Amino acid sequence: SGDLLVYSYEETVTDFFLGGYKDKYPKVNIKTAVYGELDEAIAKMRGGFKVDVLNPCTDYIPLLKRLNLIEPIDVKYIPRWNDLMEYFKNIPELAAGDGKVWMVPSDAGLEGIMYNSEKIKNPPDSWMDLWNPEYRGHIAMQDYARNSIAVAALALGYSDPFHLSDDQLEKIKDFLIKQKPLLLKYFEGDEEVDTLFAEGEVWISLGWGSDAVSLSDDGTPVEFVTPREGALSWICGYSIAKGTKMPLASHAMVNHYISPDLQSFEATDFEYFVPNKKVLDMLSEEEIAAVGLDNPGALEKAHVEIIPDNYDKWLQVWETVKATK
């Protein structure tokens, strides 16, 4: 018994998400706090805000470890760990040694190319298509140093897009500057680029499989493809905060978030790829295909997003690219 604080995004601390846990562990008093971006959560935790369970993604795990804000999760206290697809149990960025992990994955997705299939008849198959002069004025790139530089790295043939030398970053900078006359704009987030697709202004862009499904459902002819150089992948899940006073209740909460009921909801409502294999028996073939669960190999071949060690240099490159007229 005691208080358990879950610190997450607003949509995952609803009564729907937490009700099953409350029923099973009525003596645990669940408290919640929400954040919009993980940077905000980290700032509060560094300032002394005490939480028990956190909802990060792989890209922030190195920073959370370095700041000593999370502790390893012992998977023997996560009974549903064995229900996860093998790939999710063996992500190098999450391994903490001795049968422990820094985060238990709960959802994932691909960042590849979204394109308007009425305007572009031949499906794009390479990140280089975002530099195709035929689409001048109808290309969008994300205003985010990490993703746009990684995409440029893959287009240039660099096989490890999150570990780049100074020389490679210099070539990428020139390559991104060359792209600028072809662009409609740099977009902030998925809502903005989705609107640009719906209005017919953008024909091709870096984008997300789940957004392509939503746009298509709403009548915009948008398709999603995985470029031959490999997509980028985001993987999010649940971690346990350093120094929790409720370690067993925290492990139980992490286990709860990968339950088949919650996972099937994430697949159908959020249109996320989910790691629990038992979900496959709960979804229709169409639902499985819509989120890519029919092709888990695409996720396995993707480049897992991380914040690079030399990210300050990436930010300098991006500022130069954006400032160049």
mmCIF file of all heavy atoms in Angstrom, residues 4 64 95 195 211 245 249 256 260 278 282 299:
data_model
loop_
_atom_site.group_PDB
_atom_site.id
_atom_site.type_symbol
_atom_site.label_atom_id
_atom_site.label_comp_id
_atom_site.label_asym_id
_atom_site.label_seq_id
_atom_site.Cartn_x
_atom_site.Cartn_y
_atom_site.Cartn_z
ATOM 1 N N LEU A 4 1.537 5.779 -5.604
ATOM 2 C CA LEU A 4 2.337 5.458 -6.788
ATOM 3 C C LEU A 4 2.077 6.545 -7.822
ATOM 4 O O LEU A 4 0.947 6.707 -8.283
ATOM 5 C CB LEU A 4 1.934 4.095 -7.355
ATOM 6 C CG LEU A 4 2.742 3.624 -8.575
ATOM 7 C CD1 LEU A 4 4.094 3.077 -8.127
ATOM 8 C CD2 LEU A 4 1.987 2.549 -9.350
ATOM 9 N N LEU A 64 18.511 9.871 -19.550
ATOM 10 C CA LEU A 64 17.902 9.523 -18.263
ATOM 11 C C LEU A 64 18.863 8.705 -17.402
ATOM 12 O O LEU A 64 18.928 8.875 -16.180
ATOM 13 C CB LEU A 64 16.598 8.746 -18.495
ATOM 14 C CG LEU A 64 15.419 9.577 -19.020
ATOM 15 C CD1 LEU A 64 14.339 8.667 -19.599
ATOM 16 C CD2 LEU A 64 14.841 10.457 -17.916
ATOM 17 N N ALA A 95 19.266 -2.512 -22.928
ATOM 18 C CA ALA A 95 19.850 -3.554 -22.076
ATOM 19 C C ALA A 95 20.579 -2.947 -20.882
ATOM 20 O O ALA A 95 21.370 -2.017 -21.025
ATOM 21 C CB ALA A 95 20.810 -4.404 -22.900
ATOM 22 N N THR A 195 -2.107 18.557 -42.039
ATOM 23 C CA THR A 195 -2.965 19.608 -42.610
ATOM 24 C C THR A 195 -2.479 19.993 -44.005
ATOM 25 O O THR A 195 -3.282 20.174 -44.933
ATOM 26 C CB THR A 195 -2.972 20.849 -41.689
ATOM 27 O OG1 THR A 195 -3.457 20.451 -40.407
ATOM 28 C CG2 THR A 195 -3.854 21.949 -42.246
ATOM 29 N N ASP A 211 -0.061 8.351 -39.226
ATOM 30 C CA ASP A 211 -0.653 9.559 -39.813
ATOM 31 C C ASP A 211 -1.186 9.276 -41.214
ATOM 32 O O ASP A 211 -2.247 9.783 -41.596
ATOM 33 C CB ASP A 211 0.394 10.679 -39.882
ATOM 34 C CG ASP A 211 0.720 11.233 -38.510
ATOM 35 O OD1 ASP A 211 1.223 10.474 -37.665
ATOM 36 O OD2 ASP A 211 0.455 12.407 -38.267
ATOM 37 N N LYS A 245 9.965 4.424 -3.935
ATOM 38 C CA LYS A 245 9.667 3.775 -2.645
ATOM 39 C C LYS A 245 8.687 2.610 -2.847
ATOM 40 O O LYS A 245 8.336 1.918 -1.898
ATOM 41 C CB LYS A 245 9.036 4.792 -1.679
ATOM 42 C CG LYS A 245 9.891 6.026 -1.386
ATOM 43 C CD LYS A 245 10.911 5.743 -0.296
ATOM 44 C CE LYS A 245 11.510 6.989 0.313
ATOM 45 N NZ LYS A 245 12.218 7.853 -0.618
ATOM 46 N N ALA A 249 5.150 -2.318 -6.767
ATOM 47 C CA ALA A 249 3.976 -1.696 -7.397
ATOM 48 C C ALA A 249 4.362 -1.056 -8.730
ATOM 49 O O ALA A 249 3.576 -1.064 -9.686
ATOM 50 C CB ALA A 249 3.367 -0.651 -6.464
ATOM 51 N N HIS A 256 1.421 -3.902 -16.308
ATOM 52 C CA HIS A 256 0.031 -3.574 -16.657
ATOM 53 C C HIS A 256 -0.054 -2.885 -18.023
ATOM 54 O O HIS A 256 -0.955 -3.167 -18.820
ATOM 55 C CB HIS A 256 -0.557 -2.674 -15.564
ATOM 56 C CG HIS A 256 -1.876 -2.067 -15.908
ATOM 57 N ND1 HIS A 256 -3.043 -2.802 -15.970
ATOM 58 C CD2 HIS A 256 -2.209 -0.783 -16.234
ATOM 59 C CE1 HIS A 256 -4.045 -1.995 -16.308
ATOM 60 N NE2 HIS A 256 -3.570 -0.772 -16.471
ATOM 61 N N PRO A 260 -2.663 -7.209 -22.931
ATOM 62 C CA PRO A 260 -3.278 -7.295 -24.264
ATOM 63 C C PRO A 260 -4.406 -6.286 -24.486
ATOM 64 O O PRO A 260 -4.531 -5.730 -25.578
ATOM 65 C CB PRO A 260 -3.796 -8.738 -24.325
ATOM 66 C CG PRO A 260 -2.923 -9.496 -23.379
ATOM 67 C CD PRO A 260 -2.593 -8.537 -22.274
ATOM 68 N N LYS A 278 0.197 -11.394 -28.139
ATOM 69 C CA LYS A 278 -1.178 -11.854 -27.905
ATOM 70 C C LYS A 278 -2.213 -10.952 -28.582
ATOM 71 O O LYS A 278 -3.353 -11.360 -28.802
ATOM 72 C CB LYS A 278 -1.450 -11.949 -26.403
ATOM 73 C CG LYS A 278 -0.676 -13.090 -25.746
ATOM 74 C CD LYS A 278 -1.115 -13.342 -24.328
ATOM 75 C CE LYS A 278 -0.454 -14.622 -23.799
ATOM 76 N NZ LYS A 278 -0.777 -14.858 -22.388
ATOM 77 N N MET A 282 -6.399 -10.724 -31.306
ATOM 78 C CA MET A 282 -7.527 -9.859 -30.940
ATOM 79 C C MET A 282 -7.923 -8.897 -32.057
ATOM 80 O O MET A 282 -8.942 -8.224 -31.962
ATOM 81 C CB MET A 282 -7.165 -9.049 -29.684
ATOM 82 C CG MET A 282 -6.792 -9.916 -28.497
ATOM 83 S SD MET A 282 -6.044 -8.974 -27.138
ATOM 84 C CE MET A 282 -7.454 -8.036 -26.545
ATOM 85 N N LEU A 299 10.253 -2.974 -38.978
ATOM 86 C CA LEU A 299 10.686 -2.316 -37.740
ATOM 87 C C LEU A 299 12.076 -2.815 -37.336
ATOM 88 O O LEU A 299 12.930 -2.038 -36.908
ATOM 89 C CB LEU A 299 9.676 -2.588 -36.626
ATOM 90 C CG LEU A 299 9.820 -1.718 -35.380
ATOM 91 C CD1 LEU A 299 9.372 -0.290 -35.658
ATOM 92 C CD2 LEU A 299 9.022 -2.280 -34.228
#
